[in-house]
Amino acid sequence: AEYMGDPPPFFSVMSHNNRIIFGLIGVAAGLSLSVVYNRFSCCRQQPTTCAKSQDPGIGKKAGTKVIIVASSNKTKIQAVRSAFEKLFPSFALELHGVAAKSGVPDQPMSEAETKQGAFNRACHAKSLYAGEADFYVGLEGGVERKVQTLDCGNGEVLVQPGLECFAWMVVLDGKGTKVSTARTGSFFLPPILQKMVEDGMELGHADDVLFKRTNSKEDTGTVGILTNGAIDRAAYYEHAMCLALIPFLQQELYVQVQVPV
């Protein structure tokens, strides 16, 4: 603020040259503070440039299992939580959803692409928070065009082309020594949804457009819409998550042993 009264005694006895020197020091200090402020501001303005920009407040507590879900989608996080609660009821759980890269298109169009996307998400989450969690989980939904050929045994052959829908789960342990994967059940999309997806629309967006929903992929998902709510997306993913956790639940069975002859 501008000083409107008499100059303070300290400045009254300063020589003209000293005032210039102190003025330059003040400018330099101001620039230094500005640099420091800008360095920490990047965490708010440009989070991708800061090492801990996505820090979800992870803090290990005694007796608590920390699980990082490589997604900010609340439906996926709920599926992971439900699976851990069912298989490890004695665990105190601390879950954190973080944005993680899949490394595949927003709409995976093959089995291999979908599984790779789930694995990439789990690995990216682990690279962001290495050593800070007991489990890192990646989930990815995808589709693949398939042609079903069914021989009825009486000379009649049924051919059914379509777009199969499914999801892959990947779980990494915190030590980096174990990985487990599992897949959901699958179903075929209606022809109209198939066309929209094959024309380049992400399935979640296609659901919103066709069924006049908003952000359905964080709600019941495609499976919930098509089953009239009998199986929503969280339940659909939860079963596969339970399967992916089997090696961690039955650790004594998942070791290299010599099979008795």
Side-chain angles (χ1 to χ4, degrees), residues 217-234:
K217 65 182 180 181
E218 291 205 32
D219 191 14
T220 62
T222 308
V223 67
I225 295 172
L226 296 180
T227 62
N228 289 337
I231 304 173
D232 63 19
R233 194 183 191 196

Side-chain angles (χ1 to χ4, degrees), residues 56-228:
I58 297 169
K60 282 194 175 183
K61 301 174 185 177
T64 299
K65 294 295 183 181
V66 177
I67 303 155
I68 295 183
V69 184
S71 175
S72 57
N73 186 309
K74 63 181 183 181
T75 301
K76 292 183 177 181
I77 296 170
Q78 180 55 47
V80 175
R81 176 180 291 280
S82 296
F84 270 92
E85 286 177 343
K86 286 184 176 179
L87 270 66
F88 302 98
S90 62
F91 282 7
L93 303 177
E94 183 180 322
L95 271 77
H96 300 277
V98 300
K101 299 175 182 177
S102 71
V104 299
D106 290 340
Q107 180 55 68
M109 295 296 292
S110 72
E111 190 92 46
E113 203 170 58
T114 305
K115 187 175 184 180
Q116 187 64 52
F119 184 72
N120 290 348
R121 286 185 188 276
C123 289
H124 187 216
K126 187 170 183 178
S127 71
L128 290 173
Y129 301 103
E132 297 187 46
D134 298 285
F135 299 95
Y136 302 87
V137 181
L139 308 88
E140 190 77 16
V143 296
E144 181 169 281
R145 185 172 180 81
K146 289 188 177 180
V147 177
Q148 293 190 100
T149 303
L150 305 173
D151 189 342
C152 297
N154 58 358
E156 182 182 2
V157 176
L158 300 178
V159 178
Q160 179 184 334
L163 204 60
E164 189 178 31
C165 187
F166 47 80
W168 275 94
M169 319 285 126
V170 172
V171 183
L172 307 177
D173 72 340
K175 298 177 182 178
T177 58
K178 185 178 293 184
V179 57
S180 180
T181 64
R183 181 186 183 278
T184 64
S186 60
F187 58 96
F188 281 83
L189 296 178
I192 187 169
L193 272 180
Q194 176 180 336
K195 185 177 188 309
M196 294 169 79
V197 172
E198 290 184 333
D199 285 346
M201 192 175 290
E202 186 182 357
L203 180 56
H205 184 206
D207 287 335
D208 290 345
V209 172
L210 180 62
F211 300 106
K212 296 179 173 52
R213 303 282 184 108
T214 300
N215 201 21
S216 56
K217 65 182 180 181
E218 291 205 32
D219 191 14
T220 62
T222 308
V223 67
I225 295 172
L226 296 180
T227 62
N228 289 337

